[in-house]
Amino acid sequence: TLETNYFNTIAVTEAFLPILTQSAPQTATKRARVVIVSSRMGCFDWAKITGDALAALSDPKDLDKITAISTAWASGDANTGLSDVAYSTSKAIISAYGRILAQRLTKDNVPVDVIVTCPGSTKTDMNPAGIKTVEQGADTISWASYSPTVQTGKFYGHRTEVAYDTCDISLMGKTVDLD
């Protein structure tokens, strides 16, 4: 889970950034976008994140530190402050990466926005109890790729900005009218 949701997401994103940067429109209203799929299940209370990990993820600035904590956790270190729930942990740290990347690109004047999204409780093979259809779960992710109202570095669920650090998961089960 950590390999897929964190390390591989970063590797693919960083590999595509030069291409996005070169092809990005140079206007304030039209910019290239990276849309990261995370989850409200990665909020700090739900994921039971504490200590150094909580400090690193609450105000993420140091990707190397977050990666070091994540690597130690993946190696079995129980003292990292990360939860023993792999999915929630991986989503908490990929959300932090999204924030760090947005800050880095803004600071470097790179015309690429970074949007972090949550599809909500979507019925899939991995989550047969999900409430949303795959199409409904994909709605916010797709919307974030083109909506003029999203802002770089923000987290969105059900087409609504939500806080990174709270566990209000009320939006996870809401469905979207796709008609």
Side-chain angles (χ1 to χ4, degrees):
T1 299
L2 191 64
E3 191 70 28
T4 299
N5 290 342
Y6 182 64
F7 293 110
N8 291 343
T9 299
I10 290 174
V12 169
T13 302
E14 295 292 335
F16 275 96
L17 272 177
I19 297 166
L20 285 172
T21 301
Q22 291 172 358
S23 65
Q26 300 297 319
T27 68
T29 57
K30 289 193 169 199
R31 296 165 52 97
R33 289 195 181 157
V34 171
V35 179
I36 294 175
V37 180
S38 187
S39 174
R40 297 299 300 144
M41 301 269 308
C43 71
F44 307 140
D45 292 340
W46 189 281
K48 296 180 175 53
I49 296 170
T50 61
D52 287 343
L54 180 60
L57 296 175
S58 295
D59 186 20
K61 291 185 175 64
D62 188 348
L63 184 60
D64 291 335
K65 181 174 184 172
I66 291 170
T67 299
I69 291 169
S70 302
T71 302
W73 178 84
S75 299
D77 184 344
N79 298 314
T80 62
L82 295 174
S83 165
D84 60 353
V85 180
Y87 182 81
S88 295
T89 295
S90 69
K91 292 304 185 177
I93 59 179
I94 200 58
S95 292
Y97 167 71
R99 292 168 72 186
I100 291 170
L101 181 60
Q103 292 166 8
R104 184 181 93 204
L105 297 178
T106 299
K107 179 180 160 248
D108 294 344
N109 292 315
V110 176
V112 177
D113 291 332
V114 180
I115 314 301
V116 182
T117 62
C118 173
S121 179
T122 303
K123 186 174 184 169
T124 62
D125 290 344
M126 190 173 92
N127 182 23
I131 298 166
K132 293 181 176 184
T133 66
V134 171
E135 291 80 9
Q136 290 167 329
D139 177 74
T140 293
I141 299 163
S142 173
W143 167 83
S145 72
Y146 67 81
S147 173
T149 62
V150 296
Q151 296 176 5
T152 193
K154 302 293 184 176
F155 191 109
Y156 294 88
H158 195 67
R159 296 188 180 202
T160 304
E161 182 183 342
V162 291
Y164 280 97
D165 59 350
T166 61
C167 279
D168 178 7
I169 59 170
S170 64
L171 296 174
M172 290 187 69
K174 285 192 174 180
T175 58
V176 177
D177 182 6
L178 297 177
D179 294 333

